[in-house]
């Protein structure tokens, strides 16, 4: 299979790109020709990474540097306002900014901070990015520790005799179908048949 690794003039937002995985991601996209947004809370680290991006960019594109705390709704909005006003285009969103610790014995306060940073903000960013991504037929890449929660707790609490498992249901006819779809019974039956047709065993 051939991969297209030419991102020339694509606009790529990498949240939490002031260090770690996000930093490497922003640098890679820059190397591949993209116009990158480098983001984080630390102004100096954001600037350091932006410089590295410019150095590897084939056209020496200087990234847009955005400083904001994604745990704060207004700051996420400001970030997206800045991105949209600057580029009027968005091709790739990498939701990467995040805290560790969601799988540990977090207090509820820590859990709220974790959820706001690692989950709520991603959804908010997706909502704000949607109109531009629809135009560009763009891509969202989520890097989240949430799928690690089950594994993390299983590892941490397993030795205490507590089993932690995940259930990932497919489509199941429960009242949620009635409540969430807003469809009549007849319409739901048609939809259900169509859904069943798409499953390997047809039910
Ligand atoms: N490393 C791992 O083993 C691992 C495993 C699974 C998932 N992950 C996930 O991968 C992502 C990146 O992790 P990493 O290992 O590269 O860690 P990292 O080096 O600590 O980078 C985290 C990035 O997120 C930013 N960030 C954190 N909280 C933020 C906030 N409230 N607002 C804005 N930016 C924020 C940081 O920017 P500032 O410090 O400048 O604010 C930094 O750029 C995280 O979501 C993490 O949960 C990591």
């Amino acid at each position: 299979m051939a991969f297209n690794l030419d991102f020339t003039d694509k606009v790529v937002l990498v949240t939490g790109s002031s260090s770690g995985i996000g930093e490497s991601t922003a640098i890679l996209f820059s190397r591949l020709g993209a116009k990158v947004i480098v983001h984080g809370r630390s102004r100096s680290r954001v600037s350091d990474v932006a410089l590295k991006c410019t150095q590897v960019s084939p056209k020496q594109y200087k990234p847009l540097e955005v400083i904001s705390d994604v745990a704060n709704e207004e700051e996420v909005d400001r970030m997206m306002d800045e991105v949209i006003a600057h580029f009027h285009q968005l091709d790739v969103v990498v939701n990467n900014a995040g805290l560790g610790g969601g799988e540990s014995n977090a207090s509820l306060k820590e859990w709220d901070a974790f959820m706001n940073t690692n989950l709520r903000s991603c959804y908010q960013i997706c909502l704000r990015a949607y109109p531009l991504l629809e135009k560009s037929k763009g891509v969202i890449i989520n890097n989240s520790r949430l799928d690690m929660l089950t594994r993390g707790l299983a590892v941490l609490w397993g030795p205490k005799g507590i089993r932690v498992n995940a259930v990932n249901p497919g489509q199941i006819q429960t009242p949620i179908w009635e409540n969430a779809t807003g469809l009549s019974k007849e319409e739901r039956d048609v939809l259900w048949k169509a859904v069943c047709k798409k499953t390997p065993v047809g039910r």
Side-chain angles (χ1 to χ4, degrees):
M1 181 191 275
F3 293 103
N4 179 8
L5 290 178
D6 182 5
F7 282 82
T8 303
D9 292 345
K10 299 287 184 195
V11 177
V12 179
L13 166 63
V14 186
T15 69
S17 40
S18 60
S19 80
I21 298 167
E23 171 177 353
S24 302
T25 306
I27 292 171
L28 180 60
F29 273 115
S30 298
R31 197 187 297 280
L32 297 174
K35 296 174 176 173
V36 167
I37 296 106
V38 178
H39 160 264
R41 289 165 302 180
S42 160
R43 186 173 295 281
S44 62
R45 282 207 302 271
V46 165
S47 292
D48 288 348
V49 174
L51 184 61
K52 291 183 196 172
C53 289
T54 306
Q55 285 164 349
V56 299
S57 166
K59 296 185 184 173
Q60 271 78 55
Y61 283 141
K62 208 174 160 322
L64 175 66
E65 299 176 28
V66 180
I67 315 301
S68 77
D69 181 349
V70 294
N72 179 305
E73 187 177 327
E74 284 75 35
E75 292 201 26
V76 172
D77 268 334
R78 180 175 51 74
M79 170 175 79
M80 296 309 292
D81 287 345
E82 284 181 37
V83 169
I84 293 163
H86 192 87
F87 290 109
H88 306 285
Q89 178 190 336
L90 200 50
D91 299 278
V92 181
V93 173
V94 183
N95 275 316
N96 168 77
L99 305 167
E103 77 282 20
S104 66
N105 292 318
S107 67
L108 278 180
K109 197 171 170 207
E110 289 165 336
W111 178 252
D112 282 345
F114 176 81
M115 293 302 270
N116 280 340
T117 306
N118 292 40
L119 182 63
R120 191 178 194 276
S121 70
C122 296
Y123 183 53
Q124 190 186 352
I125 290 165
C126 289
L127 288 177
R128 290 295 313 272
Y130 174 80
L132 292 176
L133 292 176
E134 190 187 23
K135 256 191 222 156
S136 65
K137 305 290 167 232
V139 182
I140 295 172
I141 301 163
N142 291 325
N143 175 4
S144 162
R145 294 178 73 93
L146 293 170
D147 54 350
M148 299 288 285
L149 176 67
T150 309
R151 287 166 194 261
L153 284 179
V155 168
L156 274 170
W157 293 351
K160 306 281 180 200
I162 302 169
R163 282 161 293 141
V164 184
N165 297 303
V167 174
N168 192 358
Q171 296 293 339
I172 302 175
Q173 275 205 50
T174 67
I176 207 170
W177 264 70
E178 205 172 321
N179 300 331
T181 60
L183 299 174
S184 68
K185 179 165 181 343
E186 290 69 32
E187 289 167 329
R188 287 200 305 277
D189 286 346
V190 172
L191 182 59
W192 181 253
K193 277 190 190 133
V195 167
C196 290
K197 260 195 190 161
K198 294 207 166 201
T199 68
V201 289
R203 61 184 166 82

